[in-house]
Amino acid sequence: MADRSKLTRRELNILESLFRQDSNPRLAIRRNLAKQMGMHQRTIQVWFQNRRAKAIRLNELTPPSRSSATINFLAPQNPKYQPAIKISEFWATTMSCIKYYRY
């Protein structure tokens, strides 16, 4: 079993700020973030899983349901669908967070 590593305050700040924007980032985002932060993608994935569980426990998030998952899956096909944030804006914010929290 691999040793547990404690995240630095900088890493936690980056992850928390991204969590506030997207509590469930896709694999490509997690991979890019892991590369930028010098971490394993799996560490990022587990952190987000644990943080979502904490948010649900603290009533910061509602637990996903089948119906909402179906709606979210079908939403991009709906012409009235408007994403909460554009991908370009998300990446600009992500990169500014990483640059801000660098030593």
Side-chain angles (χ1 to χ4, degrees):
M1 187 168 178
D3 292 334
R4 292 173 56 120
S5 59
K6 185 174 179 180
L7 298 175
T8 66
R9 182 170 303 276
R10 173 187 158 266
E11 291 167 340
L12 281 174
N13 288 336
I14 291 169
L15 292 172
E16 282 290 344
S17 71
L18 293 174
F19 181 82
R20 286 189 293 273
Q21 295 173 41
D22 183 3
S23 63
N24 199 3
R26 298 197 178 266
L27 177 61
I29 293 171
R30 292 192 315 266
R31 281 184 178 160
N32 191 310
L33 183 59
K35 183 178 178 182
Q36 293 291 325
M37 295 176 67
M39 300 169 67
H40 293 285
Q41 183 278 138
R42 179 69 177 144
T43 303
I44 303 284
Q45 179 183 16
V46 170
W47 185 90
F48 273 93
Q49 287 173 342
N50 291 338
R51 185 61 181 87
R52 283 192 302 274
K54 178 181 178 182
I56 290 169
R57 191 172 62 247
L58 298 174
N59 291 322
E60 295 171 358
L61 278 179
T62 56
S65 65
R66 276 188 177 256
S67 60
S68 68
T70 302
I71 291 167
N72 289 338
F73 176 76
L74 296 174
Q77 298 171 0
N78 183 342
K80 295 180 181 178
Y81 170 76
Q82 293 295 320
I85 186 169
K86 293 179 182 174
I87 296 296
S88 59
E89 293 171 2
F90 176 80
W91 279 114
T93 304
T94 301
M95 296 313 294
S96 67
C97 288
I98 291 171
K99 288 176 186 174
Y100 177 80
Y101 290 111
R102 285 201 171 145
Y103 297 134

